[in-house]
Amino acid sequence: MLSLKSVNAISHFTDWTIAHVHIGTLGWNGMLMFGMLYWLYTRFYKTTNAGVNWQFIKLIESNSIVEKMIFFDMNTGIAKGFNYGGRIYKTTNGGLNWITTIMSTQIDGLTFFNSTTGISIGGTEGATATNIYKTTNAGNNWSLILTISGTRFFTNLKSIPSTGTAFAVGNLIDSMYGFGKITTIKTTNYGVNWIIKEFNPILLAFGLDLVDQNNFFIGSGDMDLPATILKS
């Protein structure tokens, strides 16, 4: 239309022609970007030869990012992801089909004590509270068991199988620096009760390993400070 002389004679002295071109360019690049994200972030692959070859199995959910997967056997697995909100996915046929549970918050951590009982943890919008969820039927349903008020975020959650012990690590949120003291939360009775602690140093806490019910390791650091390993 803009190539027509009668139309161009009117639009030439306005911002319409320039805006039309720029909007088209932004739209084209935006669709390319979302197309690339769609291709990169939503696929499930499987290997049966120790990682030598990988086979594409399933597109789990459009526009989602799958971050952690736990498989109990060759068929049954649970995964956590993000798609403008928290997602927990479950498969019972080796990844061919997935059932999606939409959570009320994003899910930052996921762990299972055994094949039926698991815990997930995630922060509400604006990180004003942290929700802890529990499943007792292998991820088919999740119930909110605790809401912790306060600005904090958790980055890692692990458990010791068949002991009832789960432990999460993260940081308090500081309005000036972005993050503050390290914060942890622990249960020893399958999520019935929780103990919350906060302590120095002020370092981002990401790494976590539970050797047994008494010996825990936390990996922390910052871009301007040396990496620090904490032991309990």
Side-chain angles (χ1 to χ4, degrees):
M1 288 289 293
L2 292 175
S3 64
L4 298 176
K5 186 176 181 180
S6 58
V7 177
N8 188 263
I10 299 173
S11 67
H12 182 75
F13 297 102
T14 69
D15 292 332
W16 166 250
T17 302
I18 299 173
H20 180 78
V21 173
H22 281 80
I23 290 172
T25 302
L26 290 172
W28 172 259
N29 287 310
M31 292 303 294
L32 282 177
M33 180 185 71
F34 282 110
M36 287 185 288
L37 293 176
Y38 179 88
W39 175 265
L40 290 172
Y41 290 140
T42 59
R43 292 173 175 251
F44 173 68
Y45 294 86
K46 180 179 180 180
T47 180
T48 55
N49 57 5
V52 176
N53 303 104
W54 290 86
Q55 178 186 3
F56 168 65
I57 301 296
K58 183 72 175 179
L59 188 68
I60 298 179
E61 185 183 19
S62 301
N63 305 317
S64 63
I65 301 173
V66 176
E67 301 169 312
K68 181 177 181 178
M69 311 187 83
I70 300 172
F71 270 78
F72 307 112
D73 51 47
M74 287 297 294
N75 292 314
T76 306
I78 307 286
K80 79 176 182 75
F82 178 82
N83 187 340
Y84 302 103
R87 298 286 194 275
I88 293 182
Y89 308 100
K90 180 180 179 180
T91 180
T92 56
N93 57 5
L96 294 177
N97 300 101
W98 294 82
I99 299 171
T100 302
T101 300
I102 301 175
M103 309 297 286
S104 59
T105 62
Q106 71 179 44
I107 300 301
D108 301 312
L110 174 69
T111 190
F112 273 77
F113 302 106
N114 49 51
S115 60
T116 59
T117 305
I119 296 289
S120 63
I121 189 170
T124 60
E125 186 175 354
T128 56
T130 300
N131 286 346
I132 299 178
Y133 305 90
K134 182 178 179 178
T135 180
T136 56
N137 57 6
N140 292 327
N141 304 100
W142 293 85
S143 301
L144 176 65
I145 60 172
L146 180 65
T147 296
I148 309 166
S149 60
T151 52
R152 70 188 75 223
F153 61 92
F154 289 95
T155 56
N156 210 332
L157 169 67
K158 290 192 175 183
S159 62
I160 302 174
S162 302
T163 65
T165 298
F167 188 86
V169 65
N171 288 87
L172 299 179
I173 295 177
D174 184 275
S175 59
M176 180 176 294
Y177 299 105
F179 64 92
K181 293 181 179 180
I182 293 175
T183 181
T184 63
I185 186 168
K186 176 185 176 183
T187 180
T188 57
N189 53 8
Y190 294 92
V192 176
N193 303 106
W194 294 84
I195 300 172
I196 304 171
K197 289 189 176 181
E198 302 162 3
F199 55 91
N200 286 316
I202 300 177
L203 294 170
L204 280 171
F206 284 99
L208 176 63
D209 195 29
L210 314 182
V211 180
D212 52 42
Q213 290 178 274
N214 296 309
N215 296 285
F216 301 169
F217 289 89
I218 295 174
S220 62
D222 193 8
M223 294 298 292
D224 300 322
L225 297 171
T228 302
I229 305 296
L230 305 175
K231 179 182 177 181
S232 172

